[in-house]
Amino acid sequence: MNKKLLSLVLVAALAMSLLAGCGSKEEPKTTTAAAADTTAAAADNETEAPADTTAAAGDETTAAAAGGNTTGETIRVGYAQVGHESDWRTANTKNYQDVFSADNGYELSFVDCDNDNAAQLEAVRGFIQQELDYIVIAPIETAGWDTVLQEAQDAGIPVIIADREIDAPDTLYDAWVGTNTKNEGITAANWLAEYLDGKEANILVIEGSVGASATLGRTEGFNEVAAEHSEWKILDSQSGDFTQAGGQEVMESFIKSYEGQFNVVVCQNDNEAYGAMDAMKAANITYGVDGDVIIISFDATHDGLQYTLDGAINCNVECNPIQAGVVEEVIQAMAAGSDYEKTTLVNDEAFVAPGITSEYATTMTEDILAGRAY
Ligand code: GZL
Ligand code: ZN
């Protein structure tokens, strides 16, 4: 049994499918649970999952059962969300609004912190003042959390860190639910090595938001594998802030400095890839499976996978935004006073354009795209 199949069997045995809300482009005002079922299977790559994590639990029925507050009283949850910078973020926000709905027995205080650290700390302090029951934080940056987490702890409010990671002692928060972005970076580089098969790579990287663990992880993971390939050169690496405008701007400046010298562009999320494609098109630079430039992207959102299916993006490494169901199960366990996992890893996989077969990624098909929930 090949490694990928083995890991799929392992993950299937361990994890159940996640309940997923359907993503939408606009910031949803109110939402109804339009849940579809996605199975998050892990793609195998060279590193181990971090210690003491469990695969995301909760198949559709479990999540539906858990998709409801069984304590008999309304639970007040604060969610300090990164912002609205990307399609990934929109899908993540909608998922939280679907799961922590009034119908499900919750009162969700949702704050879109617009990628602003100060606003995010203020939002958390606001949750503490309102004496909410639980605080969930998707941290914009890894740094600067100790003081406010101590304040939440002193106020006796459990805190769940979600999506991204923070640089703080894990005694300062009660649980973590998210993805392993270093593994995502490693998967992307492992795929590139397989695809290039020894050929040279002159690589440009459009990084995510400065100081975000997703940026740090993808960069660290990719660079760790890149260091094993003397035939690769990373020409430049700049932040596109996880936005389409940022991706376009950085790609335009890269073209000015490196036109004709690069054959790989790594975009640390789909929205940056859309911007990079616009910039390359405007400069008559071809990309994708039939082009001169290989594009690697992250997130595997709906439009990102459409571009992958179309061959415009060669490889797209998923980062699963559908995490609210797992966060809810942690909150329900806390409310019931029962055990819960301190860290829960939401599994990802990777996808490649039709015509590409890979040990590290699944070849895209119409059916896969049709079956995706975001
Ligand atoms: C990843 C998440 C990142 C996505 C981006 O876990 O934090 O933030 O990759 C999003 O699309 O903006
Ligand atoms: Zn090599």
Side-chain angles (χ1 to χ4, degrees), residues 30-68:
T30 55
T31 56
T32 53
D37 173 336
T38 61
T39 306
D44 182 33
N45 51 64
E46 304 310 315
T47 61
E48 300 307 311
D52 125 50
T53 56
T54 57
D59 67 5
E60 192 155 349
T61 39
T62 314

PDB file of all heavy atoms in Angstrom, residues 30-68:
ATOM      1  N   THR A  30     -26.670  37.382   7.831  1.00  0.00           N
ATOM      2  CA  THR A  30     -27.139  36.283   8.706  1.00  0.00           C
ATOM      3  C   THR A  30     -27.000  35.013   7.873  1.00  0.00           C
ATOM      4  O   THR A  30     -26.923  35.074   6.662  1.00  0.00           O
ATOM      5  CB  THR A  30     -28.635  36.469   9.035  1.00  0.00           C
ATOM      6  OG1 THR A  30     -29.310  36.578   7.786  1.00  0.00           O
ATOM      7  CG2 THR A  30     -28.840  37.734   9.869  1.00  0.00           C
ATOM      8  N   THR A  31     -26.918  33.933   8.542  1.00  0.00           N
ATOM      9  CA  THR A  31     -26.627  32.721   7.779  1.00  0.00           C
ATOM     10  C   THR A  31     -27.570  31.611   8.219  1.00  0.00           C
ATOM     11  O   THR A  31     -28.039  31.595   9.332  1.00  0.00           O
ATOM     12  CB  THR A  31     -25.215  32.227   8.128  1.00  0.00           C
ATOM     13  OG1 THR A  31     -25.188  32.051   9.557  1.00  0.00           O
ATOM     14  CG2 THR A  31     -24.159  33.238   7.737  1.00  0.00           C
ATOM     15  N   THR A  32     -27.827  30.702   7.302  1.00  0.00           N
ATOM     16  CA  THR A  32     -28.556  29.493   7.718  1.00  0.00           C
ATOM     17  C   THR A  32     -27.597  28.331   7.468  1.00  0.00           C
ATOM     18  O   THR A  32     -26.747  28.398   6.599  1.00  0.00           O
ATOM     19  CB  THR A  32     -29.795  29.293   6.822  1.00  0.00           C
ATOM     20  OG1 THR A  32     -29.313  29.334   5.471  1.00  0.00           O
ATOM     21  CG2 THR A  32     -30.804  30.414   7.042  1.00  0.00           C
ATOM     22  N   ALA A  33     -27.789  27.334   8.243  1.00  0.00           N
ATOM     23  CA  ALA A  33     -26.835  26.228   8.116  1.00  0.00           C
ATOM     24  C   ALA A  33     -27.153  25.488   6.822  1.00  0.00           C
ATOM     25  O   ALA A  33     -28.141  24.806   6.715  1.00  0.00           O
ATOM     26  CB  ALA A  33     -27.001  25.284   9.303  1.00  0.00           C
ATOM     27  N   ALA A  34     -26.312  25.707   5.826  1.00  0.00           N
ATOM     28  CA  ALA A  34     -26.490  24.942   4.578  1.00  0.00           C
ATOM     29  C   ALA A  34     -25.290  24.015   4.534  1.00  0.00           C
ATOM     30  O   ALA A  34     -24.269  24.325   3.949  1.00  0.00           O
ATOM     31  CB  ALA A  34     -26.484  25.888   3.373  1.00  0.00           C
ATOM     32  N   ALA A  35     -25.405  22.979   5.280  1.00  0.00           N
ATOM     33  CA  ALA A  35     -24.164  22.208   5.504  1.00  0.00           C
ATOM     34  C   ALA A  35     -24.001  21.155   4.415  1.00  0.00           C
ATOM     35  O   ALA A  35     -24.943  20.518   4.008  1.00  0.00           O
ATOM     36  CB  ALA A  35     -24.254  21.518   6.863  1.00  0.00           C
ATOM     37  N   ALA A  36     -22.832  21.032   3.942  1.00  0.00           N
ATOM     38  CA  ALA A  36     -22.529  19.894   3.055  1.00  0.00           C
ATOM     39  C   ALA A  36     -21.416  19.140   3.762  1.00  0.00           C
ATOM     40  O   ALA A  36     -20.813  19.636   4.683  1.00  0.00           O
ATOM     41  CB  ALA A  36     -22.064  20.410   1.713  1.00  0.00           C
ATOM     42  N   ASP A  37     -21.170  18.000   3.258  1.00  0.00           N
ATOM     43  CA  ASP A  37     -20.261  17.133   3.996  1.00  0.00           C
ATOM     44  C   ASP A  37     -18.938  17.056   3.250  1.00  0.00           C
ATOM     45  O   ASP A  37     -18.902  16.739   2.093  1.00  0.00           O
ATOM     46  CB  ASP A  37     -20.954  15.760   4.053  1.00  0.00           C
ATOM     47  CG  ASP A  37     -20.051  14.720   4.645  1.00  0.00           C
ATOM     48  OD1 ASP A  37     -18.834  14.911   4.575  1.00  0.00           O
ATOM     49  OD2 ASP A  37     -20.562  13.731   5.153  1.00  0.00           O
ATOM     50  N   THR A  38     -17.865  17.438   3.863  1.00  0.00           N
ATOM     51  CA  THR A  38     -16.593  17.220   3.157  1.00  0.00           C
ATOM     52  C   THR A  38     -15.764  16.285   4.029  1.00  0.00           C
ATOM     53  O   THR A  38     -15.832  16.336   5.238  1.00  0.00           O
ATOM     54  CB  THR A  38     -15.783  18.528   3.029  1.00  0.00           C
ATOM     55  OG1 THR A  38     -15.508  18.985   4.361  1.00  0.00           O
ATOM     56  CG2 THR A  38     -16.549  19.591   2.282  1.00  0.00           C
ATOM     57  N   THR A  39     -15.005  15.478   3.354  1.00  0.00           N
ATOM     58  CA  THR A  39     -14.139  14.580   4.122  1.00  0.00           C
ATOM     59  C   THR A  39     -12.724  15.134   4.025  1.00  0.00           C
ATOM     60  O   THR A  39     -12.210  15.278   2.939  1.00  0.00           O
ATOM     61  CB  THR A  39     -14.194  13.165   3.512  1.00  0.00           C
ATOM     62  OG1 THR A  39     -15.561  12.822   3.467  1.00  0.00           O
ATOM     63  CG2 THR A  39     -13.419  12.189   4.353  1.00  0.00           C
ATOM     64  N   ALA A  40     -12.184  15.493   5.127  1.00  0.00           N
ATOM     65  CA  ALA A  40     -10.837  16.068   5.094  1.00  0.00           C
ATOM     66  C   ALA A  40      -9.854  14.910   5.238  1.00  0.00           C
ATOM     67  O   ALA A  40      -9.717  14.332   6.295  1.00  0.00           O
ATOM     68  CB  ALA A  40     -10.682  17.040   6.259  1.00  0.00           C
ATOM     69  N   ALA A  41      -9.256  14.547   4.138  1.00  0.00           N
ATOM     70  CA  ALA A  41      -8.279  13.447   4.238  1.00  0.00           C
ATOM     71  C   ALA A  41      -6.895  14.066   4.179  1.00  0.00           C
ATOM     72  O   ALA A  41      -6.691  15.088   3.558  1.00  0.00           O
ATOM     73  CB  ALA A  41      -8.475  12.500   3.067  1.00  0.00           C
ATOM     74  N   ALA A  42      -5.980  13.444   4.816  1.00  0.00           N
ATOM     75  CA  ALA A  42      -4.643  14.050   4.870  1.00  0.00           C
ATOM     76  C   ALA A  42      -3.811  13.536   3.691  1.00  0.00           C
ATOM     77  O   ALA A  42      -3.906  12.388   3.304  1.00  0.00           O
ATOM     78  CB  ALA A  42      -3.968  13.628   6.160  1.00  0.00           C
ATOM     79  N   ALA A  43      -3.025  14.397   3.122  1.00  0.00           N
ATOM     80  CA  ALA A  43      -2.064  13.915   2.123  1.00  0.00           C
ATOM     81  C   ALA A  43      -0.790  13.609   2.912  1.00  0.00           C
ATOM     82  O   ALA A  43      -0.433  14.341   3.815  1.00  0.00           O
ATOM     83  CB  ALA A  43      -1.775  15.022   1.125  1.00  0.00           C
ATOM     84  N   ASP A  44      -0.146  12.540   2.521  1.00  0.00           N
ATOM     85  CA  ASP A  44       1.035  12.179   3.290  1.00  0.00           C
ATOM     86  C   ASP A  44       2.180  13.115   2.932  1.00  0.00           C
ATOM     87  O   ASP A  44       2.268  13.560   1.815  1.00  0.00           O
ATOM     88  CB  ASP A  44       1.409  10.730   2.930  1.00  0.00           C
ATOM     89  CG  ASP A  44       2.598  10.320   3.747  1.00  0.00           C
ATOM     90  OD1 ASP A  44       2.677  10.809   4.887  1.00  0.00           O
ATOM     91  OD2 ASP A  44       3.438   9.577   3.248  1.00  0.00           O
ATOM     92  N   ASN A  45       2.976  13.498   3.869  1.00  0.00           N
ATOM     93  CA  ASN A  45       4.230  14.168   3.491  1.00  0.00           C
ATOM     94  C   ASN A  45       5.248  13.811   4.542  1.00  0.00           C
ATOM     95  O   ASN A  45       4.968  13.069   5.456  1.00  0.00           O
ATOM     96  CB  ASN A  45       4.012  15.680   3.382  1.00  0.00           C
ATOM     97  CG  ASN A  45       3.337  16.179   4.624  1.00  0.00           C
ATOM     98  OD1 ASN A  45       3.902  16.109   5.692  1.00  0.00           O
ATOM     99  ND2 ASN A  45       2.093  16.589   4.468  1.00  0.00           N
ATOM    100  N   GLU A  46       6.431  14.370   4.418  1.00  0.00           N
ATOM    101  CA  GLU A  46       7.571  13.805   5.158  1.00  0.00           C
ATOM    102  C   GLU A  46       7.490  14.029   6.664  1.00  0.00           C
ATOM    103  O   GLU A  46       8.215  13.451   7.393  1.00  0.00           O
ATOM    104  CB  GLU A  46       8.875  14.431   4.627  1.00  0.00           C
ATOM    105  CG  GLU A  46       9.046  14.230   3.122  1.00  0.00           C
ATOM    106  CD  GLU A  46       8.833  12.776   2.707  1.00  0.00           C
ATOM    107  OE1 GLU A  46       9.365  11.880   3.379  1.00  0.00           O
ATOM    108  OE2 GLU A  46       8.077  12.545   1.748  1.00  0.00           O
ATOM    109  N   THR A  47       6.623  14.942   7.132  1.00  0.00           N
ATOM    110  CA  THR A  47       6.765  15.213   8.579  1.00  0.00           C
ATOM    111  C   THR A  47       5.611  14.569   9.347  1.00  0.00           C
ATOM    112  O   THR A  47       4.585  14.250   8.786  1.00  0.00           O
ATOM    113  CB  THR A  47       6.652  16.722   8.847  1.00  0.00           C
ATOM    114  OG1 THR A  47       5.341  17.098   8.405  1.00  0.00           O
ATOM    115  CG2 THR A  47       7.670  17.504   8.060  1.00  0.00           C
ATOM    116  N   GLU A  48       5.847  14.434  10.630  1.00  0.00           N
ATOM    117  CA  GLU A  48       4.803  13.888  11.510  1.00  0.00           C
ATOM    118  C   GLU A  48       3.850  15.016  11.889  1.00  0.00           C
ATOM    119  O   GLU A  48       4.257  16.171  11.968  1.00  0.00           O
ATOM    120  CB  GLU A  48       5.461  13.368  12.802  1.00  0.00           C
ATOM    121  CG  GLU A  48       6.481  12.268  12.521  1.00  0.00           C
ATOM    122  CD  GLU A  48       5.845  11.151  11.690  1.00  0.00           C
ATOM    123  OE1 GLU A  48       4.752  10.690  12.061  1.00  0.00           O
ATOM    124  OE2 GLU A  48       6.421  10.816  10.630  1.00  0.00           O
ATOM    125  N   ALA A  49       2.622  14.701  12.159  1.00  0.00           N
ATOM    126  CA  ALA A  49       1.719  15.732  12.707  1.00  0.00           C
ATOM    127  C   ALA A  49       2.267  16.096  14.089  1.00  0.00           C
ATOM    128  O   ALA A  49       2.895  15.269  14.725  1.00  0.00           O
ATOM    129  CB  ALA A  49       0.322  15.142  12.845  1.00  0.00           C
ATOM    130  N   PRO A  50       2.040  17.325  14.540  1.00  0.00           N
ATOM    131  CA  PRO A  50       2.574  17.713  15.852  1.00  0.00           C
ATOM    132  C   PRO A  50       2.044  16.749  16.930  1.00  0.00           C
ATOM    133  O   PRO A  50       0.968  16.196  16.790  1.00  0.00           O
ATOM    134  CB  PRO A  50       2.019  19.118  16.077  1.00  0.00           C
ATOM    135  CG  PRO A  50       1.449  19.562  14.805  1.00  0.00           C
ATOM    136  CD  PRO A  50       1.241  18.357  13.940  1.00  0.00           C
ATOM    137  N   ALA A  51       2.805  16.634  18.001  1.00  0.00           N
ATOM    138  CA  ALA A  51       2.429  15.673  19.052  1.00  0.00           C
ATOM    139  C   ALA A  51       1.065  16.050  19.623  1.00  0.00           C
ATOM    140  O   ALA A  51       0.628  17.185  19.514  1.00  0.00           O
ATOM    141  CB  ALA A  51       3.479  15.763  20.167  1.00  0.00           C
ATOM    142  N   ASP A  52       0.439  15.064  20.194  1.00  0.00           N
ATOM    143  CA  ASP A  52      -0.793  15.207  20.980  1.00  0.00           C
ATOM    144  C   ASP A  52      -1.878  15.935  20.196  1.00  0.00           C
ATOM    145  O   ASP A  52      -2.615  16.748  20.684  1.00  0.00           O
ATOM    146  CB  ASP A  52      -0.404  15.833  22.342  1.00  0.00           C
ATOM    147  CG  ASP A  52      -1.119  17.097  22.729  1.00  0.00           C
ATOM    148  OD1 ASP A  52      -2.347  17.091  22.656  1.00  0.00           O
ATOM    149  OD2 ASP A  52      -0.442  18.038  23.112  1.00  0.00           O
ATOM    150  N   THR A  53      -1.953  15.609  18.892  1.00  0.00           N
ATOM    151  CA  THR A  53      -3.118  16.159  18.169  1.00  0.00           C
ATOM    152  C   THR A  53      -3.984  14.969  17.780  1.00  0.00           C
ATOM    153  O   THR A  53      -3.520  13.865  17.674  1.00  0.00           O
ATOM    154  CB  THR A  53      -2.686  16.803  16.834  1.00  0.00           C
ATOM    155  OG1 THR A  53      -1.972  15.801  16.094  1.00  0.00           O
ATOM    156  CG2 THR A  53      -1.785  17.993  17.046  1.00  0.00           C
ATOM    157  N   THR A  54      -5.214  15.268  17.566  1.00  0.00           N
ATOM    158  CA  THR A  54      -6.047  14.171  17.062  1.00  0.00           C
ATOM    159  C   THR A  54      -6.671  14.679  15.768  1.00  0.00           C
ATOM    160  O   THR A  54      -6.841  15.879  15.595  1.00  0.00           O
ATOM    161  CB  THR A  54      -7.210  13.879  18.021  1.00  0.00           C
ATOM    162  OG1 THR A  54      -7.929  15.102  18.145  1.00  0.00           O
ATOM    163  CG2 THR A  54      -6.697  13.455  19.377  1.00  0.00           C
ATOM    164  N   ALA A  55      -7.014  13.767  14.923  1.00  0.00           N
ATOM    165  CA  ALA A  55      -7.636  14.194  13.671  1.00  0.00           C
ATOM    166  C   ALA A  55      -8.975  14.829  14.010  1.00  0.00           C
ATOM    167  O   ALA A  55      -9.580  14.509  15.018  1.00  0.00           O
ATOM    168  CB  ALA A  55      -7.874  12.952  12.812  1.00  0.00           C
ATOM    169  N   ALA A  56      -9.379  15.746  13.172  1.00  0.00           N
ATOM    170  CA  ALA A  56     -10.628  16.458  13.453  1.00  0.00           C
ATOM    171  C   ALA A  56     -11.771  15.458  13.497  1.00  0.00           C
ATOM    172  O   ALA A  56     -11.890  14.613  12.626  1.00  0.00           O
ATOM    173  CB  ALA A  56     -10.884  17.462  12.332  1.00  0.00           C
ATOM    174  N   ALA A  57     -12.554  15.557  14.506  1.00  0.00           N
ATOM    175  CA  ALA A  57     -13.624  14.569  14.652  1.00  0.00           C
ATOM    176  C   ALA A  57     -14.931  15.201  14.177  1.00  0.00           C
ATOM    177  O   ALA A  57     -14.986  16.370  13.890  1.00  0.00           O
ATOM    178  CB  ALA A  57     -13.762  14.212  16.128  1.00  0.00           C
ATOM    179  N   GLY A  58     -15.963  14.372  14.059  1.00  0.00           N
ATOM    180  CA  GLY A  58     -17.272  14.966  13.798  1.00  0.00           C
ATOM    181  C   GLY A  58     -17.739  14.741  12.382  1.00  0.00           C
ATOM    182  O   GLY A  58     -17.519  15.570  11.533  1.00  0.00           O
ATOM    183  N   ASP A  59     -18.351  13.559  12.125  1.00  0.00           N
ATOM    184  CA  ASP A  59     -18.910  13.421  10.773  1.00  0.00           C
ATOM    185  C   ASP A  59     -20.209  14.202  10.756  1.00  0.00           C
ATOM    186  O   ASP A  59     -20.566  14.850  11.721  1.00  0.00           O
ATOM    187  CB  ASP A  59     -19.137  11.935  10.451  1.00  0.00           C
ATOM    188  CG  ASP A  59     -20.238  11.372  11.335  1.00  0.00           C
ATOM    189  OD1 ASP A  59     -20.851  12.156  12.100  1.00  0.00           O
ATOM    190  OD2 ASP A  59     -20.487  10.172  11.272  1.00  0.00           O
ATOM    191  N   GLU A  60     -20.920  14.140   9.634  1.00  0.00           N
ATOM    192  CA  GLU A  60     -22.097  14.996   9.484  1.00  0.00           C
ATOM    193  C   GLU A  60     -23.062  14.771  10.639  1.00  0.00           C
ATOM    194  O   GLU A  60     -23.509  15.705  11.290  1.00  0.00           O
ATOM    195  CB  GLU A  60     -22.778  14.678   8.150  1.00  0.00           C
ATOM    196  CG  GLU A  60     -23.822  15.730   7.836  1.00  0.00           C
ATOM    197  CD  GLU A  60     -24.076  15.840   6.345  1.00  0.00           C
ATOM    198  OE1 GLU A  60     -23.303  15.264   5.566  1.00  0.00           O
ATOM    199  OE2 GLU A  60     -25.048  16.497   6.001  1.00  0.00           O
ATOM    200  N   THR A  61     -23.329  13.490  10.971  1.00  0.00           N
ATOM    201  CA  THR A  61     -24.345  13.262  12.023  1.00  0.00           C
ATOM    202  C   THR A  61     -23.787  13.761  13.357  1.00  0.00           C
ATOM    203  O   THR A  61     -24.421  14.494  14.073  1.00  0.00           O
ATOM    204  CB  THR A  61     -24.646  11.751  12.154  1.00  0.00           C
ATOM    205  OG1 THR A  61     -23.418  11.048  12.017  1.00  0.00           O
ATOM    206  CG2 THR A  61     -25.630  11.312  11.104  1.00  0.00           C
ATOM    207  N   THR A  62     -22.502  13.375  13.630  1.00  0.00           N
ATOM    208  CA  THR A  62     -21.942  13.816  14.924  1.00  0.00           C
ATOM    209  C   THR A  62     -21.991  15.333  15.018  1.00  0.00           C
ATOM    210  O   THR A  62     -22.444  15.904  15.998  1.00  0.00           O
ATOM    211  CB  THR A  62     -20.465  13.354  15.033  1.00  0.00           C
ATOM    212  OG1 THR A  62     -20.411  12.011  14.634  1.00  0.00           O
ATOM    213  CG2 THR A  62     -19.965  13.518  16.448  1.00  0.00           C
ATOM    214  N   ALA A  63     -21.536  15.961  13.916  1.00  0.00           N
ATOM    215  CA  ALA A  63     -21.496  17.433  13.971  1.00  0.00           C
ATOM    216  C   ALA A  63     -22.914  17.977  14.107  1.00  0.00           C
ATOM    217  O   ALA A  63     -23.172  18.883  14.883  1.00  0.00           O
ATOM    218  CB  ALA A  63     -20.849  17.969  12.703  1.00  0.00           C
ATOM    219  N   ALA A  64     -23.843  17.324  13.400  1.00  0.00           N
ATOM    220  CA  ALA A  64     -25.232  17.821  13.511  1.00  0.00           C
ATOM    221  C   ALA A  64     -25.672  17.679  14.966  1.00  0.00           C
ATOM    222  O   ALA A  64     -26.230  18.589  15.563  1.00  0.00           O
ATOM    223  CB  ALA A  64     -26.147  17.014  12.594  1.00  0.00           C
ATOM    224  N   ALA A  65     -25.332  16.518  15.557  1.00  0.00           N
ATOM    225  CA  ALA A  65     -25.694  16.332  16.987  1.00  0.00           C
ATOM    226  C   ALA A  65     -24.988  17.413  17.796  1.00  0.00           C
ATOM    227  O   ALA A  65     -25.594  18.099  18.615  1.00  0.00           O
ATOM    228  CB  ALA A  65     -25.243  14.948  17.453  1.00  0.00           C
ATOM    229  N   ALA A  66     -23.698  17.560  17.521  1.00  0.00           N
ATOM    230  CA  ALA A  66     -22.945  18.574  18.264  1.00  0.00           C
ATOM    231  C   ALA A  66     -23.361  19.952  17.770  1.00  0.00           C
ATOM    232  O   ALA A  66     -23.145  20.946  18.454  1.00  0.00           O
ATOM    233  CB  ALA A  66     -21.449  18.377  18.038  1.00  0.00           C
ATOM    234  N   GLY A  67     -23.997  19.974  16.520  1.00  0.00           N
ATOM    235  CA  GLY A  67     -24.413  21.280  15.992  1.00  0.00           C
ATOM    236  C   GLY A  67     -25.612  21.738  16.780  1.00  0.00           C
ATOM    237  O   GLY A  67     -26.677  21.987  16.251  1.00  0.00           O
ATOM    238  N   GLY A  68     -25.480  21.824  18.033  1.00  0.00           N
ATOM    239  CA  GLY A  68     -26.585  22.250  18.877  1.00  0.00           C
ATOM    240  C   GLY A  68     -26.053  22.250  20.288  1.00  0.00           C
ATOM    241  O   GLY A  68     -25.245  21.424  20.667  1.00  0.00           O
TER     242      GLY A  68
END
